[in-house]
Structure formats: structure tokens, C-alpha cells
Amino acid sequence: MKATVADIERSIIKRFRKQIWRRFIKGINDFDMIDDGDVIAVAISGGKDSLLLAKLLQELKRHGKKQFELLFICMNPGYLPHIQEQVKVTAEAMGIPLQMYDSNVFEVAEDMGGEKPCYICARMRRGSLYDKAKSLGANKLALGHHFDDVIETVLMNVLFGGSYKTMMPKLHATNFEGMELIRPMVYIREEDVRRFVKANDLTPIDCACTVTEKENFGARAYVKNLIEDIAKENPNVGMSIFRSAQNVELGALLGFKDYDGTQVNFLDRYDKGE
């Protein structure tokens, strides 16, 4: 028997209170993500993460102390018809009032992406969502990235990008003045998202990309598997990676980029005793 909207909402507050709800609230509070008067556009892909994010924000609006408004936007980047229908049906079953709009992101990413269609797609999707959100009067765009996305990004940058940086819990939009991006699920583990979906018998879409057709390839898949392998010997590896981005020692780095983008070499300050 399919879970009702009330069942889904109850499971967030009751069954998954410790693993999901409390971590959601902690992330919002720790990183000061929501203010009174905000208009937050929640980006819905139809996948498990964004659908859970939508329900979490609905619950926060209903029971929280902040006064804010929610919009639920879904870009159709070129989904096949049955995928579009699945997204709409699942959102309706979860009580999420979806606003779907069309885009040609998949087509353009395939034409321009070369060996990196996923990178091109992600950049284009983000820009499209910002543009749509701002046109609807939103000042914040909420994305469903979770804890595992964050730690995987850290290792991807180290192992494949030759840099140390993480996926920030919130940031100012570069090309959309007055817009901020927030990631309220920053503390929530992917396994708990999967358990929530299974417990409520939900049917989110997977990647649904018409370009790569769900190939398990690329740096993120490699890093995800790597972390899982390490966790067999060190169960705390995920938290260690996450905390590493909070405990950076500038004095123990060969170099870093300052806030204005200036490259700083440790020798620049070495003789000054800094």
C-alpha cells in the first residue's frame, strides 16, 4: 500500500527524526541558511534527494519559527515523456505543487560537452534554475545535495582536480545578483535518504539522462566506491573528510587562493614569520 502524504510527513518527524529531521535542522542552523521573508525556490529533479528536500522544507515552513515562502520548480532538460510523467505523478503523490518548465539542456550538453557532458549539463542546469527562480521572485535556490555529495566532492578535487575545496553549504550566486544557493541536507547521509524512499514506497527517478544513459562512469562514481571501500576498515572516514574542510591549517599549506583569487605561496609569508 502506497504511503499517503500524511504518512510521508509523519515518517520524517517520527521514524526518521534522528537520521534526517534533526540533521536537516542542524544544517540550517549551523550555516544560517534561512531568514524571515525569504522566498526559496526548491529545485526538483524528480530524484530521491530533491523530493526529500521539498518535504523537509514544507515541514519546516509548517512547524518552524521562520516565516518564508516556498516554490517548487522542476526543469525538464529533455526527459523522455514517461520520465516527465513519473516526476509529475510522484510529486503529486507526495503533496509537492510542482512547476515544471522546459529546457533543451540535454541537447546542448551533448553537442558541446565532448568528453564532459555531465559537467556542461550541471553548469547549464544551475544557470537555468537560477534564472527561473529569480523570475518567480525567489531570493534563494535550494538544492538537494547531501553529506555524501560533499565528501565525494572534496576527494574528487584532490584526486582529479589538484585542488582542495568543498561543496559549500551556501554561497552567493555569481551571475544572478541578490540570489543565494543553499544546501539544507548537508548533514544527511545518502543511505538514510534511500531508507526514507524505501520506507514510503516512493518512485523517484534516477539520472534519466538521455546523453550518458546511466553509465556508471566518471570521477564521482570512482570516489564513491573508494570511500565505501575505505569505510570497511575505517567507518569514520566520511566524517574525517567532511571535518578536514573545517580544520584547514593555512600555515601547513604550500599555497592557497585568497578570497579575491590571488594565489599565495607559503614562501611569500615564510620569511616574515607569518
Side-chain angles (χ1 to χ4, degrees), residues 148-167:
D148 295 82
D149 289 322
V150 174
I151 63 174
E152 288 162 14
T153 297
V154 172
L155 281 196
M156 284 170 61
N157 284 318
V158 170
L159 298 178
F160 296 96
S163 64
Y164 188 90
K165 54 186 176 181
T166 188
M167 181 180 279

Side-chain angles (χ1 to χ4, degrees), residues 188-211:
I188 297 175
R189 301 302 301 257
E190 184 174 24
E191 180 57 32
D192 291 320
V193 180
R194 291 195 184 102
R195 290 176 57 239
F196 166 80
V197 167
K198 183 176 180 180
N200 289 288
D201 195 21
L202 301 174
T203 55
I205 66 171
D206 199 344
C207 175
C209 176
T210 59
V211 180

Side-chain angles (χ1 to χ4, degrees), residues 61 75 129:
K61 178 174 170 57
M75 180 185 65
L129 289 167

Side-chain angles (χ1 to χ4, degrees), residues 5 45 61 134 138 147 173 181 199 209 214 220 260 269 271:
V5 173
S45 66
K61 178 174 170 57
K134 189 167 186 177
F147 179 91
L181 181 149
C209 176
K214 289 178 60 178
R220 187 168 294 276
D260 61 1
R269 301 182 176 188
D271 291 332

Side-chain angles (χ1 to χ4, degrees), residues 259-272:
Y259 287 107
D260 61 1
T262 302
Q263 185 69 42
V264 179
N265 187 289
F266 87 101
L267 289 175
D268 297 337
R269 301 182 176 188
Y270 184 79
D271 291 332
K272 299 176 183 179

